[in-house]
Amino acid sequence: MNLIEELQQIHEQAISAVSAATDAGELEEVRLRYLGKKGSLTQILRGLGSLSAEEKPLVGSAANEVRVGIETALDEKTRAISSEALRLQMMQDSVDVTLPGRRRPLGRQHLIERITREVVEIFVGLGYRVAEGPQVELAYYNFTALNTPQAHPARSPSDTFYVRDQSVETGLKSHDSEVLLRTHTSPVQVRVMESSKPPIYILAPGKVYRRDIPDPSHLPQFTQVEGLVVDEGITFADLKGTLEHFCHEMFGSDRKTRFRPHFFPFTEPSAEVDVSCGICAGSGCRFCGNTGWLEILGCGMIDPNVFEYVGIDSERYGGFAFGMGVERIAALKYDLPDLRMLVEGDMRFLAQF
Amino acid sequence: MRVPQSWLSEFVDVKLAPEALADRLELTGTAVAAVHRTGETLDKVVVGRIVDKSPHPQADKLWVTLVDVGGTEPIQIVCGAQNFEVSDLVPVALPGAVLPAGMKIKRAKLRGVESAGMNCSAAELGLGSDQDGLLVLPNDAPVGLSFSEYQGLSDITLELEITPNRADCMSMIGVAREVAAVTGVQFNSPTYSLLDEGPSIEDAVDLTVADPSLCPRYAARLVYGVKIGPSPKWLADRLIAVGARPVNNVVDITNYVMFEMGQPLHAFDLATLRGDDGKAQIIVRRATDGELLRTLDGVERHLDSQMLVIADAGQAIALAGVMGGAFTEVSETTVDVLLEAAVFDKDSVSRTSRSLGLLSEASSRFERGVDPTGCVAALDRAASLLQEICGGVVAGGVIDSSPTPPTIRRLELRPKRLCEIVGEEIVIGDMINILEALGLNVEVAQDVLGVDIPPFRPDLEREIDLVEEVLRIWGMDRVTPTLPSGTGRSGGLTRAQSDRERIGATLRAAGLTETMTYIFAEGRDMAIPGCNSVPEDEWVRLMNPMSEEQASLRRHMFPGLLRSVSFNQNRGVPGVHLYEIGTVFSTAVGRQLPREHSMIAGVLNGRWMPKSWHDARVRSSSPKSKPGSSARVDDVLDFFDGKGVIETLLLDLGIETATFTASHYAWLQPGRSAQVITGSDVLGWLGEVHPEVLALYECEGPVVAFELSLDLLLTNAVSVKQYRDVPRFPPVQLDIALIVDNTVAASSVEMAIRESAGRDLHIIELFDVYTGEGVDAGKKSLAYSLTYRSKDRTLTDDEVKAQHERMLRKVEAKVGARLRG
Ligand SMILES: [Zn+2]
């Protein structure tokens, strides 16, 4: 058998040995057997030197071809084996993707705060700033400067919390105190009008207090957002446009609004604003008490008496104010059965929003 | 204010259907609470006579009645009302009846006693608002007759909500005028005539108004020889429809005229009025402090000198504008009746009725204001009804403290100004039409309308009031919406406001959920160690709290949060992580308004997450619970979870210099509480709540709580953070374990390392704290991973080694730390 034939035989044996190998170890054995230092192909290549000048190149190139062929087969088989091993490993590593993930604790924003932020953002977009004021207020800012008569029921100790005034000697009866828990955020408006010049475009969100026993629809402490605009040439039409814009942003552009004339001591003309019921689209249902409308806001043009208290010329400047109860909006938007849930801190409730 | 359409239509011919009228009223400023229909759905309700009444054997407030409903036998009905006697006639709903509110009447056992129907109140039949007792019918009502048949034709009643400024709409005539104006039809002003041919009233009654400021007008008429009895049915029906309960013909007439004309009237039994010279005395004066008056409702009232009374020569006989007295009440034996029509100061009536908790139909009218020119017309109307119904003779003349003629005031309205305020071009003709429809006379001059205000509209005082009248009737819905066109404004939040929102967002990202608690401090909040020693003067006290338990404003927020922890624990919630951004209050002698501080408070209790299939895996792969170490038990949140939240918050705000130092707060567990400080500012505190405090709130511990000053966080927050080079050269990392005395704070070891190492020590991370086997008692092992890295070159191992060893020697000298072998 000549060397060429021997080479052919080695090639065939090597190829079949490669394909018979089942793991990396066997494959390495095959490599050593043919290509290793003592491998059969190596032996032949070592013997090249003893060949004739004619045979040498022929056998040399044939041997090289065989070597390349075996190496290629080995490489392919190596890849095949490792990819098979990887496949098996991955099969072992597979998981039940329906098992729960490793969750991070995530806190939620309180519903009332969230709605308040929504309202604030809408008005910031219209060029408003946010104003704040004390929660314990003087009767002057909470009532008097807002044109509320001395005998107005809202001032009575059955409606308003009065606070001990430590700047005076006595004050045994609550209606003698000039200090109270603010009953709305309107005193912030008075303070702003007192301390700054028009144009004024502000929003005053905050906690307010009224002497109501907590029940499903009342809390003694709740949240209001009030707005105030004072500028030249402000009209009732501006008030209407502003609040229609707000209602569309807040409740959806398909909702209609309705202005009903009303009475408030600090605005005139005054109105209450209804938005069409989102459940029945205005045709009447249990949710809206069959009226098709939900009352959302109180509003009006600043009463000239209020301007007089804060020293703004009501002939030159006009203005409007509006206010809404955030708890009420929450109750309407989410159909809450009981407002007291808002102050209990129940994780199962708070985590819903 | 309930307005039956049958009554309203005497003064205005309403052409709209009730729902359309209600809509129109809503859109012009009179809210309509409900539209009631009566007389339509009263099947199986009949007239019955109570033939027997005995107390229920099982219930104090119930009666067992036998009622004749025209059948062979009386039926037995259990009844809770108290205002009836045997032989009274009442409406009876028989089994099968469905009442207007939807209540279905069935045979039932009430506390063990059979009841075969229900005796009804006016409210239950949809006839009025009186729900306190049975509707007792006139004595001539035929027993067994269907109640609808007896009651007559069905009617529709509008229930209106009159705003406080519209005194005039507290009467049928006033509402009729308003309805005429808003629907554009004619208002028919009523005219009444009266023959007053009896002996002059002057001979029988003397009037003194001692306090004209609280009683601008007091007028009276006298009617002799009336016959007291039940009112005719039409009169009783109307009173029931507006929500009043018929009493007798005289009282009913005074009420009827009040509902019709808006002027409250009162009837005195002349024979009960004391006087002298054979003349009864009427004195309008302030009460004396401690004066007693038994009012018509039978309650003895203690009066004070702020209150106005009507008195006779002896004592107070009526509470002016609020309620009459029992002693001078018209009764079955009354013969001569003195009718009072007065005007009382609205603030005075309001104060009196509120301080006595006595709101009446009369006081609600005086509070809004009563037309001072209407007194005599109301007296005339009532006297003529008395003549007609009770057969009396009207004494000649009227006594009147202030027979002033009606005063018309004139206001000016600038049409141009009106359009400027409304933002809509309303034509002058529309303005005039609207004002005239309201009963105001208008005189047109150049650029201005002169508007005469009649006395029944005292609320119209200024030009703006007329602007409102025109706008509400012209139609707010017709105004085209616009947005303010002014320039020179820019919206946005201040830095403090947006930082506050950011703090909330960071706390939520750190796992805390926002909550809201009351600002009222409860008694036990004030009993907490550390809070109970606060001087009385420093608490902000409410003068009229809802309960003594909530009479102060909070100085801390954690007690409210502990309540929430307890609330959740009682309901089996496995983890509570709450924060609140709120206000606390404190004050001092001499302060009028208290100090208000904005705070951030939080509580952590239980676990971050519900138990999970991951937990076992995590625990088995990192065996942490070495004996004696502070490793947590079962992942229960502790001090370090709270501290981690605050560290995260400080990191986000760029407050890098803050430190936590062991500190004592009486409400926190000693050894697990710290103060958070930056520079000279104490930002707040953090710790596990003292077990004794937890017991006060019925909480299971541990509960971690913290309170931080929002204001101080905001002033220390770094708004613009500095850029620092990101490391470019490779690190050399060395792990060491140092043995120190247990008493040495980890922070001082870390500070010693940092001070002792050269500037190439980049990161120090404490990765283990160990006590126990292999470490002497009283010592602990702190394991650090140190990262050395130069800013400008690659460090060699030898360089690092030299630095490291130098550092170890210094640390040993500083804190007695020795390298663990
Ligand atoms: Zn609806």
Side-chain angles (χ1 to χ4, degrees):
Chain A
M1 195 165 64
N2 67 23
L3 277 174
I4 302 290
E5 283 168 355
E6 207 176 323
L7 280 171
Q8 228 113 54
Q9 205 176 357
I10 288 171
H11 185 243
E12 276 160 32
Q13 285 168 354
I15 297 296
S16 73
V18 165
S19 66
T22 55
D23 62 25
E26 281 178 36
L27 212 54
E28 179 62 10
E29 265 175 38
V30 172
R31 196 185 65 80
L32 288 175
R33 203 179 323 141
Y34 295 96
L35 303 178
K37 278 182 186 161
K38 288 181 182 148
S40 42
L41 186 63
T42 318
Q43 298 297 332
I44 288 181
L45 287 168
R46 275 203 196 125
L48 277 183
S50 60
L51 290 181
S52 66
E54 297 93 59
E55 270 184 318
K56 219 184 213 173
L58 285 175
V59 174
S61 85
N64 214 31
E65 251 171 63
V66 170
R67 186 182 55 84
V68 169
I70 296 172
E71 279 175 350
T72 309
L74 279 169
D75 282 355
E76 276 169 11
K77 187 66 180 182
T78 304
R79 270 199 297 280
I81 285 175
S82 78
S83 96
E84 176 60 11
L86 183 60
R87 195 183 65 80
L88 288 173
Q89 181 63 46
M90 290 194 297
M91 258 171 69
Q92 267 176 21
D93 285 353
S94 72
V95 296
D96 176 358
V97 299
T98 65
L99 284 170
R102 234 163 260 133
R103 293 254 310 275
R104 313 298 309 158
L106 175 68
R108 316 297 175 89
Q109 192 164 31
H110 194 278
L111 181 56
I112 292 303
E113 195 60 21
R114 206 176 128 132
I115 295 173
T116 307
R117 292 302 119 206
E118 263 182 77
V119 176
V120 166
E121 270 176 35
I122 293 169
F123 283 99
V124 163
L126 288 175
Y128 288 57
R129 296 198 150 261
V130 173
E132 290 153 299
Q135 300 183 45
V136 181
E137 255 299 2
L138 296 175
Y140 175 80
Y141 288 107
N142 195 77
F143 291 126
T144 310
L146 289 160
N147 201 32
T148 312
Q150 279 302 324
H152 195 278
R155 287 185 184 249
S156 90
S158 61
D159 289 18
T160 295
F161 287 108
Y162 283 88
V163 171
R164 175 174 63 173
D165 179 352
Q166 296 214 68
S167 68
V168 294
E169 225 14 70
T170 51
L172 293 174
K173 279 191 182 162
S174 31
H175 54 256
D176 292 337
S177 177
E178 285 295 308
V179 186
L180 46 78
L181 293 187
R182 68 180 180 194
T183 61
H184 44 193
T185 56
S186 315
V188 177
Q189 304 179 355
V190 181
R191 287 177 179 273
V192 169
M193 285 191 282
E194 245 183 20
S195 63
S196 49
K197 287 195 165 62
I200 295 169
Y201 290 78
I202 56 151
L203 213 58
K207 297 256 188 301
V208 301
Y209 306 89
R210 290 184 197 170
R211 277 185 95 255
D212 282 322
I213 291 166
D215 70 19
S217 51
H218 295 89
L219 294 176
Q221 164 181 316
F222 56 102
T223 315
Q224 269 196 342
V225 182
E226 300 203 4
L228 169 76
V229 165
V230 183
D231 204 344
E232 284 176 356
I234 293 295
T235 65
F236 183 83
D238 293 335
L239 169 61
K240 205 177 155 185
T242 299
L243 294 182
E244 282 192 355
H245 171 83
F246 164 73
C247 288
H248 287 156
E249 291 282 311
M250 190 75 193
F251 300 103
S253 51
D254 53 332
R255 306 286 281 271
K256 290 193 279 290
T257 57
R258 165 173 100 156
F259 285 68
R260 284 180 292 104
H262 198 68
F263 172 79
F264 302 112
F266 39 94
T267 52
E268 186 162 1
S270 306
E272 282 185 331
V273 184
D274 298 340
V275 62
S276 58
C277 175
I279 307 259
C280 64
S283 59
C285 67
R286 177 198 63 85
F287 192 66
C288 56
N290 277 319
T291 60
W293 295 100
L294 302 168
E295 185 194 321
I296 294 294
L297 285 151
C299 66
M301 306 303 289
I302 306 289
D303 193 290
N305 287 355
V306 174
F307 276 146
E308 196 163 317
Y309 274 109
V310 295
I312 289 177
D313 178 0
S314 64
E315 287 287 316
R316 176 169 171 203
Y317 293 103
F320 61 73
F322 55 86
M324 65 197 98
V326 182
E327 279 75 2
R328 181 176 164 74
I329 292 179
L332 290 177
K333 237 184 145 168
Y334 297 91
D335 203 6
L336 301 183
D338 193 332
L339 292 184
R340 289 173 295 188
M341 301 175 91
L342 295 167
V343 289
E344 281 164 346
D346 189 335
M347 293 294 295
R348 299 162 305 174
F349 169 72
L350 297 173
Q352 291 174 23
F353 303 101
Chain B
M1 174 85 188
R2 295 170 66 99
V3 179
Q5 207 169 32
S6 56
W7 199 342
L8 184 67
S9 59
E10 287 187 10
F11 311 110
V12 61
D13 185 12
V14 183
K15 300 213 164 54
L16 295 174
E19 278 71 22
L21 174 60
D23 279 352
R24 182 66 188 144
L25 286 169
E26 286 272 4
L27 289 180
T28 52
T30 309
V32 181
V35 178
H36 302 279
R37 294 190 142 73
T38 54
E40 285 180 350
T41 54
L42 296 178
D43 249 11
K44 299 218 159 110
V45 181
V46 300
V47 176
R49 183 185 296 278
I50 311 278
V51 294
D52 189 47
K53 166 183 180 184
S54 58
H56 190 291
Q58 311 292 341
D60 281 350
K61 297 208 166 137
L62 295 183
W63 295 96
V64 179
T65 62
L66 287 177
V67 188
D68 175 6
V69 291
T72 46
E73 290 281 318
I75 59 172
Q76 176 171 298
I77 292 177
V78 177
C79 173
Q82 308 299 329
N83 70 321
F84 66 97
E85 298 302 334
V86 169
S87 90
D88 277 353
L89 290 155
V90 296
V92 181
L94 301 172
V98 180
L99 300 185
M103 185 198 261
K104 294 189 177 96
I105 304 302
K106 285 182 283 206
R107 249 170 237 285
K109 268 192 176 171
L110 287 172
R111 299 273 194 112
V113 176
E114 281 283 345
S115 183
M118 185 171 91
N119 301 329
C120 301
S121 70
E124 282 156 351
L125 298 174
L127 289 177
S129 54
D130 186 357
Q131 53 181 10
D132 290 342
L134 301 185
L135 173 56
V136 178
L137 303 171
N139 231 341
D140 56 359
V143 169
L145 186 68
S146 134
F147 184 74
S148 330
E149 204 173 315
Y150 169 74
Q151 182 68 19
L153 291 172
S154 63
D155 198 0
I156 291 163
T157 299
L158 299 180
E159 194 175 326
L160 305 182
E161 290 169 0
I162 307 299
T163 53
N165 58 325
R166 292 303 299 274
D168 61 310
C169 283
M170 294 297 282
S171 66
M172 295 305 147
I173 287 178
V175 170
R177 199 184 281 114
E178 174 74 9
V179 166
V182 302
T183 62
V185 298
Q186 183 68 39
F187 165 67
N188 307 314
S189 188
T191 48
Y192 306 109
S193 59
L194 173 71
L195 279 178
D196 55 343
E197 293 174 322
S200 168
I201 185 171
E202 306 269 353
D203 300 334
V205 181
D206 255 354
L207 170 68
T208 314
V209 177
D211 198 329
S213 66
L214 297 187
C215 176
R217 187 169 189 189
Y218 193 100
R221 268 197 182 277
L222 185 57
V223 183
Y224 290 111
V226 299
K227 201 160 159 281
I228 306 293
S231 290
K233 190 166 167 307
W234 67 266
L235 177 53
D237 286 350
R238 283 203 167 166
L239 289 181
I240 291 163
V242 296
R245 186 186 297 177
V247 180
N248 61 45
N249 49 10
V250 174
V251 172
D252 292 353
I253 285 168
T254 61
N255 284 330
Y256 184 88
V257 173
M258 171 178 70
F259 286 111
E260 185 172 84
M261 305 177 77
Q263 167 69 55
L265 297 176
H266 185 67
F268 295 101
D269 180 345
L270 183 70
T272 64
L273 301 180
R274 283 151 296 191
D276 49 25
D277 289 345
K279 281 170 91 174
Q281 294 276 324
I282 291 288
I283 303 157
V284 186
R285 60 161 170 86
R286 285 170 186 261
T288 53
D289 279 321
E291 190 168 2
L292 293 176
L293 171 66
R294 202 215 296 249
T295 41
L296 278 174
D297 52 6
V299 180
E300 192 92 53
R301 307 283 176 179
H302 294 258
L303 310 182
D304 65 46
S305 60
Q306 295 288 308
M307 300 171 178
L308 190 71
V309 295
I310 316 302
D312 62 10
Q315 64 186 56
I317 55 169
L319 207 46
V322 179
M323 195 176 267
F327 184 69
T328 54
E329 183 182 6
V330 171
S331 69
E332 280 164 39
T333 58
T334 301
V335 180
D336 305 326
V337 172
L338 183 72
L339 286 174
E340 159 201 296
V343 178
F344 301 112
D345 177 69
K346 54 186 182 181
D347 291 353
S348 162
V349 171
S350 171
R351 252 196 307 274
T352 303
S353 73
R354 266 159 230 284
S355 70
L356 294 174
L358 239 184
L359 299 176
S360 62
E361 290 286 352
S363 71
S364 74
R365 284 168 176 76
F366 283 118
E367 256 178 31
R368 284 178 163 84
V370 159
D371 175 2
T373 65
C375 295
V376 173
L379 287 175
D380 290 355
R381 170 75 167 139
S384 82
L385 284 171
L386 280 175
Q387 224 169 20
E388 178 189 323
I389 292 167
C390 317
V393 173
V394 181
V398 175
I399 52 171
D400 193 342
S401 72
S402 172
T404 43
T407 49
I408 298 279
R409 290 169 297 123
R410 168 160 286 211
L411 291 180
E412 292 196 332
L413 173 64
R414 293 164 291 168
K416 183 163 166 284
R417 178 77 182 140
L418 187 151
C419 294
E420 280 169 8
I421 291 170
V422 174
E424 190 71 50
E425 287 305 317
I426 300 177
V427 298
I428 293 181
D430 283 355
M431 297 181 199
I432 296 170
N433 288 342
I434 288 166
L435 294 170
E436 289 189 335
L438 287 165
L440 318 177
N441 281 324
V442 181
E443 188 188 317
V444 186
Q446 185 156 18
D447 297 336
V448 70
L449 303 179
V451 184
D452 291 336
I453 311 299
F456 58 77
R457 288 301 303 269
D459 58 311
L460 304 181
E461 295 175 306
R462 301 167 297 161
E463 182 181 38
I464 194 72
D465 299 325
L466 298 176
V467 171
E468 179 175 57
E469 291 302 292
V470 171
L471 172 60
R472 74 180 177 90
I473 293 177
W474 187 79
M476 287 182 174
D477 52 334
R478 292 167 69 185
V479 176
T480 310
T482 54
L483 286 174
S485 56
T487 56
R489 67 180 192 269
S490 64
L493 299 182
T494 63
R495 193 182 137 219
Q497 287 163 349
S498 52
D499 276 357
R500 185 165 62 192
E501 294 196 13
R502 174 187 176 139
I503 286 170
T506 304
L507 290 172
R508 292 195 291 282
L512 274 66
T513 287
E514 187 175 31
T515 190
M516 204 169 91
T517 60
Y518 286 124
I519 62 159
F520 308 110
E522 290 186 5
R524 61 177 162 174
D525 303 354
M526 300 163 73
I528 292 176
C531 302
N532 55 8
S533 54
V534 172
E536 160 65 24
D537 292 335
E538 295 179 17
W539 287 98
V540 180
R541 295 285 190 189
L542 296 179
M543 309 189 67
N544 55 337
M546 303 284 285
S547 71
E548 279 313 308
E549 266 298 282
Q550 299 191 338
S552 305
L553 301 190
R554 65 183 178 192
R555 297 175 57 90
H556 283 289
M557 286 170 46
F558 73 93
L561 294 174
L562 288 180
R563 268 189 280 284
S564 294
V565 171
S566 169
F567 184 96
N568 280 290
Q569 286 183 347
N570 286 336
R571 286 156 183 80
V573 176
V576 186
H577 351 99
L578 292 170
Y579 79 91
E580 179 178 6
I581 299 181
T583 310
V584 298
F585 304 81
S586 66
T587 187
V589 173
R591 285 191 75 92
Q592 187 170 41
L593 292 183
R595 295 186 198 91
E596 299 187 12
H597 308 274
S598 296
M599 304 294 288
I600 302 164
V603 281
L604 297 175
N605 168 256
R607 308 162 50 90
W608 273 127
M609 304 291 287
K611 280 200 167 56
S612 154
W613 69 282
H614 296 293
D615 298 350
R617 206 184 61 85
V618 170
R619 251 197 302 283
S620 67
S621 69
S622 59
K624 260 214 141 180
S625 22
K626 293 169 213 162
S629 81
S630 62
R632 57 180 73 178
V633 184
D634 200 22
D635 292 340
V636 160
L637 298 173
D638 67 12
F639 178 87
F640 293 102
D641 292 284
K643 183 170 176 186
V645 168
I646 296 177
E647 285 170 334
T648 304
L649 183 60
L650 295 171
L651 179 71
D652 184 58
L653 293 173
I655 306 178
E656 292 181 342
T657 55
T659 55
F660 294 74
T661 53
S663 218
H664 176 71
Y665 290 90
W667 56 86
L668 295 179
Q669 185 173 325
R672 285 179 170 256
S673 49
Q675 199 166 49
V676 190
I677 303 173
T678 186
S680 58
D681 286 339
V682 176
L683 297 177
W685 54 263
L686 145 83
E688 290 182 22
V689 179
H690 198 293
E692 287 169 14
V693 175
L694 291 181
L696 275 178
Y697 292 84
E698 289 154 12
C699 290
E700 289 285 331
V703 174
V704 188
F706 64 83
E707 280 186 6
L708 302 172
S709 158
L710 178 66
D711 299 329
L712 289 178
L713 280 179
L714 294 179
T715 53
N716 284 286
V718 174
S719 57
V720 182
K721 291 182 184 167
Q722 293 291 321
Y723 164 77
R724 287 172 211 162
D725 282 332
V726 173
R728 288 193 294 141
F729 293 92
V732 176
Q733 197 163 321
L734 289 172
D735 288 358
I736 52 165
L738 297 174
I739 309 273
V740 293
D741 279 352
N742 253 336
T743 51
V744 176
S747 62
S748 51
V749 178
E750 186 174 327
M751 196 186 297
I753 295 174
R754 192 165 291 286
E755 286 169 356
S756 310
R759 60 191 179 93
D760 291 341
L761 178 58
H762 186 214
I763 300 166
I764 308 172
E765 275 166 340
L766 177 66
F767 67 88
D768 195 29
V769 179
Y770 178 75
T771 58
E773 206 181 319
V775 175
D776 291 346
K779 305 272 187 185
K780 63 185 170 190
S781 160
L782 304 172
Y784 291 94
S785 175
L786 306 179
T787 304
Y788 289 89
R789 170 155 41 200
S790 164
K791 280 184 179 149
D792 41 26
R793 67 206 158 82
T794 303
L795 294 174
T796 66
D797 286 354
D798 286 347
E799 265 181 302
V800 172
K801 211 172 154 211
Q803 282 190 26
H804 189 64
E805 276 163 9
R806 204 159 49 238
M807 180 274 286
L808 287 177
R809 280 193 300 277
K810 288 189 186 164
V811 170
E812 181 170 9
K814 277 184 176 157
V815 292
R818 130 186 106 64
L819 202 57
R820 190 178 171 197

